Amino acid sequence: ILNVEQSPQSLHVQEGDSTNFTCSFPSSNFYALHWYRWETAKSPEALFVMTLNGDEKKKGRISATLNTKEGYSYLYIKGSQPEDSATYLCAFHGSGNTGKLIFGQGTTLQVKP
Amino acid sequence: NAGVTQTPKFQVLKTGQSMTLQCAQDMNHEYMSWYRQDPGMGLRLIHYSVGAGITDQGEVPNGYNVSRSTTEDFPLRLLSAAPSQTSVYFCASSPQKPGGWSYNEQFFGPGTRLTVL
């Protein structure tokens, strides 16, 4: 059974704070690591798909890094805004599993104005 | 494009009833999948398909059947509903790269909230 762990489970920050959270995944048979943003009452939407060790991706104030050798990815949000409040999911795609994604439990971020 | 559509949005069943959750996509994506979302459990893969005529089991397939007769549609059937199947169900699709591998993002439908009494 593949384990994908996210920490922390939840996070409360003030508007303007920068924050980061972690996704841990198996370091063997890596193919890709996905990050999704999931707002309440909506569907998950893709943020990043990362495939190479050392990858760094950025979209506005959100960025992510990838370390496939040690099996972790960090998601950073710079200067959090209330509209960043959502659950952030990571998903591991192993090289032996065609198309199969294993999701972590998510980190729920609440940004207070 | 409508993207990924799911029907119904809400459904209440009695234990033992059967039903089909519908999922369709108009993006010509080869890969489609079904997930269930339960509190504290994240998204768990039920079944997936890498193309018409091909399906495979995910992490939690028991009690569910799927078929993929067309590229567009991927229905999920509950054979005999149980209270443990109360959940929110999401369908997703993704383009498939040649050779059967894909690391493209998944596009999710709006979800179906199912309650089994």
Side-chain angles (χ1 to χ4, degrees), chain A residues 71-107:
Chain A
Y72 65 83
S73 175
Y74 293 136
L75 189 81
Y76 300 92
I77 303 179
K78 188 177 175 183
S80 304
Q81 299 296 309
E83 58 264 31
D84 295 328
S85 298
T87 294
Y88 293 84
L89 296 169
C90 68
F92 170 76
H93 183 177
S95 58
N97 303 320
T98 308
K100 229 189 224 185
L101 292 187
I102 306 298
F103 279 84
Q105 318 92 306
T107 293

mmCIF file of all heavy atoms in Angstrom, chain A residues 71-107:
data_model
loop_
_atom_site.group_PDB
_atom_site.id
_atom_site.type_symbol
_atom_site.label_atom_id
_atom_site.label_comp_id
_atom_site.label_asym_id
_atom_site.label_seq_id
_atom_site.Cartn_x
_atom_site.Cartn_y
_atom_site.Cartn_z
ATOM 1 N N GLY A 71 11.669 11.897 -1.290
ATOM 2 C CA GLY A 71 10.222 11.692 -1.298
ATOM 3 C C GLY A 71 9.430 12.777 -0.602
ATOM 4 O O GLY A 71 8.590 12.482 0.263
ATOM 5 N N TYR A 72 9.662 14.036 -0.969
ATOM 6 C CA TYR A 72 8.805 15.084 -0.431
ATOM 7 C C TYR A 72 8.685 16.243 -1.411
ATOM 8 O O TYR A 72 9.529 16.450 -2.281
ATOM 9 C CB TYR A 72 9.292 15.589 0.935
ATOM 10 C CG TYR A 72 10.629 16.275 0.935
ATOM 11 C CD1 TYR A 72 10.732 17.625 0.605
ATOM 12 C CD2 TYR A 72 11.787 15.586 1.274
ATOM 13 C CE1 TYR A 72 11.961 18.257 0.601
ATOM 14 C CE2 TYR A 72 13.019 16.221 1.278
ATOM 15 C CZ TYR A 72 13.101 17.545 0.938
ATOM 16 O OH TYR A 72 14.321 18.169 0.936
ATOM 17 N N SER A 73 7.576 16.981 -1.237
ATOM 18 C CA SER A 73 7.328 18.191 -2.002
ATOM 19 C C SER A 73 6.785 19.238 -1.041
ATOM 20 O O SER A 73 6.022 18.913 -0.125
ATOM 21 C CB SER A 73 6.319 17.931 -3.116
ATOM 22 O OG SER A 73 5.989 19.119 -3.801
ATOM 23 N N TYR A 74 7.215 20.485 -1.220
ATOM 24 C CA TYR A 74 6.705 21.582 -0.417
ATOM 25 C C TYR A 74 5.850 22.495 -1.293
ATOM 26 O O TYR A 74 6.198 22.762 -2.442
ATOM 27 C CB TYR A 74 7.831 22.433 0.153
ATOM 28 C CG TYR A 74 8.696 21.765 1.180
ATOM 29 C CD1 TYR A 74 10.085 21.906 1.141
ATOM 30 C CD2 TYR A 74 8.147 21.004 2.211
ATOM 31 C CE1 TYR A 74 10.898 21.304 2.078
ATOM 32 C CE2 TYR A 74 8.950 20.383 3.147
ATOM 33 C CZ TYR A 74 10.330 20.546 3.087
ATOM 34 O OH TYR A 74 11.127 19.946 4.016
ATOM 35 N N LEU A 75 4.743 22.966 -0.722
ATOM 36 C CA LEU A 75 3.935 23.992 -1.373
ATOM 37 C C LEU A 75 4.049 25.254 -0.539
ATOM 38 O O LEU A 75 3.855 25.203 0.679
ATOM 39 C CB LEU A 75 2.472 23.557 -1.486
ATOM 40 C CG LEU A 75 1.603 24.457 -2.346
ATOM 41 C CD1 LEU A 75 1.796 24.129 -3.821
ATOM 42 C CD2 LEU A 75 0.124 24.335 -2.001
ATOM 43 N N TYR A 76 4.387 26.383 -1.182
ATOM 44 C CA TYR A 76 4.558 27.654 -0.482
ATOM 45 C C TYR A 76 3.507 28.637 -0.968
ATOM 46 O O TYR A 76 3.220 28.718 -2.168
ATOM 47 C CB TYR A 76 5.929 28.259 -0.794
ATOM 48 C CG TYR A 76 7.110 27.422 -0.415
ATOM 49 C CD1 TYR A 76 7.679 26.537 -1.326
ATOM 50 C CD2 TYR A 76 7.689 27.536 0.846
ATOM 51 C CE1 TYR A 76 8.775 25.769 -0.982
ATOM 52 C CE2 TYR A 76 8.796 26.769 1.190
ATOM 53 C CZ TYR A 76 9.330 25.893 0.268
ATOM 54 O OH TYR A 76 10.420 25.132 0.611
ATOM 55 N N ILE A 77 2.956 29.400 -0.035
ATOM 56 C CA ILE A 77 2.076 30.506 -0.413
ATOM 57 C C ILE A 77 2.657 31.766 0.218
ATOM 58 O O ILE A 77 2.800 31.851 1.443
ATOM 59 C CB ILE A 77 0.623 30.290 0.046
ATOM 60 C CG1 ILE A 77 0.087 28.984 -0.533
ATOM 61 C CG2 ILE A 77 -0.244 31.470 -0.403
ATOM 62 C CD1 ILE A 77 -1.353 28.660 -0.126
ATOM 63 N N LYS A 78 2.973 32.733 -0.633
ATOM 64 C CA LYS A 78 3.587 33.971 -0.164
ATOM 65 C C LYS A 78 2.496 35.020 0.034
ATOM 66 O O LYS A 78 1.664 35.228 -0.865
ATOM 67 C CB LYS A 78 4.585 34.450 -1.213
ATOM 68 C CG LYS A 78 5.438 35.621 -0.806
ATOM 69 C CD LYS A 78 6.445 35.948 -1.903
ATOM 70 C CE LYS A 78 7.215 37.202 -1.548
ATOM 71 N NZ LYS A 78 8.143 37.601 -2.621
ATOM 72 N N GLY A 79 2.481 35.670 1.199
ATOM 73 C CA GLY A 79 1.499 36.731 1.423
ATOM 74 C C GLY A 79 0.063 36.232 1.285
ATOM 75 O O GLY A 79 -0.701 36.703 0.453
ATOM 76 N N SER A 80 -0.309 35.266 2.130
ATOM 77 C CA SER A 80 -1.630 34.620 2.009
ATOM 78 C C SER A 80 -2.760 35.635 2.004
ATOM 79 O O SER A 80 -2.736 36.629 2.731
ATOM 80 C CB SER A 80 -1.832 33.650 3.179
ATOM 81 O OG SER A 80 -0.799 32.713 3.239
ATOM 82 N N GLN A 81 -3.768 35.341 1.187
ATOM 83 C CA GLN A 81 -4.981 36.150 1.106
ATOM 84 C C GLN A 81 -6.176 35.280 1.475
ATOM 85 O O GLN A 81 -6.119 34.050 1.330
ATOM 86 C CB GLN A 81 -5.157 36.689 -0.315
ATOM 87 C CG GLN A 81 -4.016 37.578 -0.784
ATOM 88 C CD GLN A 81 -3.911 38.836 0.052
ATOM 89 O OE1 GLN A 81 -4.902 39.549 0.255
ATOM 90 N NE2 GLN A 81 -2.713 39.126 0.558
ATOM 91 N N PRO A 82 -7.276 35.900 1.935
ATOM 92 C CA PRO A 82 -8.461 35.091 2.283
ATOM 93 C C PRO A 82 -8.911 34.172 1.150
ATOM 94 O O PRO A 82 -9.381 33.071 1.403
ATOM 95 C CB PRO A 82 -9.519 36.159 2.616
ATOM 96 C CG PRO A 82 -8.723 37.319 3.116
ATOM 97 C CD PRO A 82 -7.459 37.323 2.291
ATOM 98 N N GLU A 83 -8.737 34.596 -0.091
ATOM 99 C CA GLU A 83 -9.154 33.746 -1.213
ATOM 100 C C GLU A 83 -8.248 32.523 -1.402
ATOM 101 O O GLU A 83 -8.566 31.634 -2.203
ATOM 102 C CB GLU A 83 -9.217 34.543 -2.519
ATOM 103 C CG GLU A 83 -7.914 35.208 -2.915
ATOM 104 C CD GLU A 83 -7.842 36.660 -2.475
ATOM 105 O OE1 GLU A 83 -8.449 37.002 -1.430
ATOM 106 O OE2 GLU A 83 -7.160 37.445 -3.166
ATOM 107 N N ASP A 84 -7.139 32.455 -0.665
ATOM 108 C CA ASP A 84 -6.286 31.259 -0.703
ATOM 109 C C ASP A 84 -6.844 30.157 0.198
ATOM 110 O O ASP A 84 -6.343 29.029 0.182
ATOM 111 C CB ASP A 84 -4.863 31.576 -0.239
ATOM 112 C CG ASP A 84 -4.146 32.527 -1.174
ATOM 113 O OD1 ASP A 84 -4.420 32.486 -2.399
ATOM 114 O OD2 ASP A 84 -3.318 33.324 -0.691
ATOM 115 N N SER A 85 -7.857 30.490 1.002
ATOM 116 C CA SER A 85 -8.453 29.491 1.902
ATOM 117 C C SER A 85 -9.029 28.349 1.071
ATOM 118 O O SER A 85 -9.884 28.555 0.199
ATOM 119 C CB SER A 85 -9.565 30.117 2.748
ATOM 120 O OG SER A 85 -9.041 31.136 3.568
ATOM 121 N N ALA A 86 -8.536 27.149 1.329
ATOM 122 C CA ALA A 86 -8.924 25.970 0.557
ATOM 123 C C ALA A 86 -8.210 24.772 1.163
ATOM 124 O O ALA A 86 -7.367 24.911 2.056
ATOM 125 C CB ALA A 86 -8.514 26.124 -0.918
ATOM 126 N N THR A 87 -8.539 23.602 0.655
ATOM 127 C CA THR A 87 -7.759 22.402 0.984
ATOM 128 C C THR A 87 -6.804 22.137 -0.175
ATOM 129 O O THR A 87 -7.205 22.195 -1.347
ATOM 130 C CB THR A 87 -8.685 21.192 1.200
ATOM 131 O OG1 THR A 87 -9.486 21.430 2.361
ATOM 132 C CG2 THR A 87 -7.881 19.915 1.414
ATOM 133 N N TYR A 88 -5.549 21.893 0.159
ATOM 134 C CA TYR A 88 -4.518 21.641 -0.849
ATOM 135 C C TYR A 88 -4.156 20.160 -0.804
ATOM 136 O O TYR A 88 -3.753 19.636 0.231
ATOM 137 C CB TYR A 88 -3.302 22.540 -0.597
ATOM 138 C CG TYR A 88 -3.642 23.994 -0.842
ATOM 139 C CD1 TYR A 88 -4.250 24.752 0.154
ATOM 140 C CD2 TYR A 88 -3.410 24.589 -2.080
ATOM 141 C CE1 TYR A 88 -4.611 26.082 -0.079
ATOM 142 C CE2 TYR A 88 -3.763 25.914 -2.317
ATOM 143 C CZ TYR A 88 -4.362 26.641 -1.312
ATOM 144 O OH TYR A 88 -4.723 27.954 -1.547
ATOM 145 N N LEU A 89 -4.341 19.508 -1.934
ATOM 146 C CA LEU A 89 -4.111 18.066 -2.048
ATOM 147 C C LEU A 89 -2.878 17.797 -2.878
ATOM 148 O O LEU A 89 -2.665 18.454 -3.899
ATOM 149 C CB LEU A 89 -5.285 17.404 -2.757
ATOM 150 C CG LEU A 89 -6.657 17.429 -2.105
ATOM 151 C CD1 LEU A 89 -7.715 16.957 -3.090
ATOM 152 C CD2 LEU A 89 -6.679 16.542 -0.877
ATOM 153 N N CYS A 90 -2.092 16.808 -2.449
ATOM 154 C CA CYS A 90 -1.050 16.321 -3.348
ATOM 155 C C CYS A 90 -1.419 14.890 -3.758
ATOM 156 O O CYS A 90 -2.168 14.203 -3.044
ATOM 157 C CB CYS A 90 0.333 16.360 -2.710
ATOM 158 S SG CYS A 90 0.582 15.209 -1.352
ATOM 159 N N ALA A 91 -0.919 14.466 -4.893
ATOM 160 C CA ALA A 91 -1.207 13.127 -5.399
ATOM 161 C C ALA A 91 0.049 12.557 -6.044
ATOM 162 O O ALA A 91 0.703 13.223 -6.840
ATOM 163 C CB ALA A 91 -2.355 13.162 -6.401
ATOM 164 N N PHE A 92 0.353 11.319 -5.690
ATOM 165 C CA PHE A 92 1.545 10.627 -6.183
ATOM 166 C C PHE A 92 1.173 9.724 -7.337
ATOM 167 O O PHE A 92 0.171 8.998 -7.291
ATOM 168 C CB PHE A 92 2.124 9.797 -5.030
ATOM 169 C CG PHE A 92 3.223 8.848 -5.437
ATOM 170 C CD1 PHE A 92 4.496 9.328 -5.703
ATOM 171 C CD2 PHE A 92 2.992 7.486 -5.535
ATOM 172 C CE1 PHE A 92 5.515 8.461 -6.064
ATOM 173 C CE2 PHE A 92 4.005 6.610 -5.881
ATOM 174 C CZ PHE A 92 5.261 7.093 -6.147
ATOM 175 N N HIS A 93 1.967 9.792 -8.401
ATOM 176 C CA HIS A 93 1.779 8.933 -9.559
ATOM 177 C C HIS A 93 3.034 8.086 -9.684
ATOM 178 O O HIS A 93 4.102 8.604 -9.991
ATOM 179 C CB HIS A 93 1.566 9.810 -10.798
ATOM 180 C CG HIS A 93 1.294 9.050 -12.050
ATOM 181 N ND1 HIS A 93 1.021 9.679 -13.233
ATOM 182 C CD2 HIS A 93 1.240 7.728 -12.319
ATOM 183 C CE1 HIS A 93 0.825 8.781 -14.172
ATOM 184 N NE2 HIS A 93 0.953 7.588 -13.639
ATOM 185 N N GLY A 94 2.915 6.791 -9.381
ATOM 186 C CA GLY A 94 4.050 5.891 -9.446
ATOM 187 C C GLY A 94 4.281 5.387 -10.854
ATOM 188 O O GLY A 94 3.347 5.293 -11.652
ATOM 189 N N SER A 95 5.513 5.023 -11.147
ATOM 190 C CA SER A 95 5.851 4.596 -12.504
ATOM 191 C C SER A 95 5.243 3.248 -12.848
ATOM 192 O O SER A 95 5.102 2.906 -14.008
ATOM 193 C CB SER A 95 7.366 4.551 -12.697
ATOM 194 O OG SER A 95 7.947 3.670 -11.754
ATOM 195 N N GLY A 96 4.859 2.481 -11.818
ATOM 196 C CA GLY A 96 4.266 1.185 -12.108
ATOM 197 C C GLY A 96 2.756 1.234 -12.283
ATOM 198 O O GLY A 96 2.125 0.226 -12.567
ATOM 199 N N ASN A 97 2.160 2.390 -12.077
ATOM 200 C CA ASN A 97 0.693 2.486 -12.070
ATOM 201 C C ASN A 97 0.217 3.422 -13.169
ATOM 202 O O ASN A 97 0.174 4.624 -13.005
ATOM 203 C CB ASN A 97 0.200 3.040 -10.726
ATOM 204 C CG ASN A 97 0.667 2.193 -9.562
ATOM 205 O OD1 ASN A 97 0.679 0.989 -9.650
ATOM 206 N ND2 ASN A 97 1.048 2.842 -8.495
ATOM 207 N N THR A 98 -0.159 2.869 -14.280
ATOM 208 C CA THR A 98 -0.567 3.708 -15.402
ATOM 209 C C THR A 98 -1.744 4.589 -15.028
ATOM 210 O O THR A 98 -2.845 4.101 -14.823
ATOM 211 C CB THR A 98 -0.974 2.817 -16.594
ATOM 212 O OG1 THR A 98 0.059 1.904 -16.841
ATOM 213 C CG2 THR A 98 -1.241 3.650 -17.817
ATOM 214 N N GLY A 99 -1.509 5.868 -14.927
ATOM 215 C CA GLY A 99 -2.600 6.803 -14.694
ATOM 216 C C GLY A 99 -3.155 6.834 -13.289
ATOM 217 O O GLY A 99 -3.992 7.667 -12.987
ATOM 218 N N LYS A 100 -2.719 5.947 -12.408
ATOM 219 C CA LYS A 100 -3.304 5.879 -11.070
ATOM 220 C C LYS A 100 -2.678 6.920 -10.166
ATOM 221 O O LYS A 100 -1.476 6.959 -9.996
ATOM 222 C CB LYS A 100 -2.983 4.497 -10.487
ATOM 223 C CG LYS A 100 -4.126 3.740 -9.901
ATOM 224 C CD LYS A 100 -3.578 2.518 -9.188
ATOM 225 C CE LYS A 100 -4.352 1.284 -9.470
ATOM 226 N NZ LYS A 100 -3.891 0.124 -8.698
ATOM 227 N N LEU A 101 -3.517 7.746 -9.561
ATOM 228 C CA LEU A 101 -3.024 8.733 -8.603
ATOM 229 C C LEU A 101 -3.413 8.323 -7.194
ATOM 230 O O LEU A 101 -4.564 7.936 -6.963
ATOM 231 C CB LEU A 101 -3.619 10.108 -8.888
ATOM 232 C CG LEU A 101 -3.206 10.839 -10.160
ATOM 233 C CD1 LEU A 101 -3.783 12.239 -10.162
ATOM 234 C CD2 LEU A 101 -1.700 10.901 -10.294
ATOM 235 N N ILE A 102 -2.484 8.429 -6.253
ATOM 236 C CA ILE A 102 -2.776 8.191 -4.850
ATOM 237 C C ILE A 102 -2.713 9.538 -4.151
ATOM 238 O O ILE A 102 -1.656 10.190 -4.131
ATOM 239 C CB ILE A 102 -1.764 7.228 -4.215
ATOM 240 C CG1 ILE A 102 -1.684 5.923 -5.020
ATOM 241 C CG2 ILE A 102 -2.136 6.955 -2.754
ATOM 242 C CD1 ILE A 102 -2.965 5.129 -5.074
ATOM 243 N N PHE A 103 -3.858 9.956 -3.573
ATOM 244 C CA PHE A 103 -3.956 11.271 -2.960
ATOM 245 C C PHE A 103 -3.606 11.233 -1.480
ATOM 246 O O PHE A 103 -3.877 10.246 -0.782
ATOM 247 C CB PHE A 103 -5.386 11.804 -3.099
ATOM 248 C CG PHE A 103 -5.673 12.408 -4.437
ATOM 249 C CD1 PHE A 103 -6.038 11.604 -5.510
ATOM 250 C CD2 PHE A 103 -5.581 13.775 -4.641
ATOM 251 C CE1 PHE A 103 -6.296 12.145 -6.756
ATOM 252 C CE2 PHE A 103 -5.841 14.329 -5.886
ATOM 253 C CZ PHE A 103 -6.198 13.516 -6.941
ATOM 254 N N GLY A 104 -3.014 12.326 -0.990
ATOM 255 C CA GLY A 104 -2.883 12.544 0.437
ATOM 256 C C GLY A 104 -4.204 13.053 0.999
ATOM 257 O O GLY A 104 -5.163 13.303 0.251
ATOM 258 N N GLN A 105 -4.249 13.201 2.335
ATOM 259 C CA GLN A 105 -5.506 13.609 2.992
ATOM 260 C C GLN A 105 -5.765 15.096 2.846
ATOM 261 O O GLN A 105 -6.876 15.560 3.102
ATOM 262 C CB GLN A 105 -5.504 13.262 4.484
ATOM 263 C CG GLN A 105 -4.935 11.904 4.823
ATOM 264 C CD GLN A 105 -3.451 12.007 5.135
ATOM 265 O OE1 GLN A 105 -2.665 12.529 4.354
ATOM 266 N NE2 GLN A 105 -3.070 11.511 6.292
ATOM 267 N N GLY A 106 -4.761 15.846 2.456
ATOM 268 C CA GLY A 106 -4.953 17.277 2.240
ATOM 269 C C GLY A 106 -4.523 18.116 3.429
ATOM 270 O O GLY A 106 -4.491 17.650 4.574
ATOM 271 N N THR A 107 -4.181 19.362 3.158
ATOM 272 C CA THR A 107 -3.950 20.381 4.193
ATOM 273 C C THR A 107 -4.980 21.468 3.975
ATOM 274 O O THR A 107 -5.069 22.032 2.871
ATOM 275 C CB THR A 107 -2.533 20.984 4.086
ATOM 276 O OG1 THR A 107 -1.568 19.998 4.407
ATOM 277 C CG2 THR A 107 -2.391 22.179 5.016
#
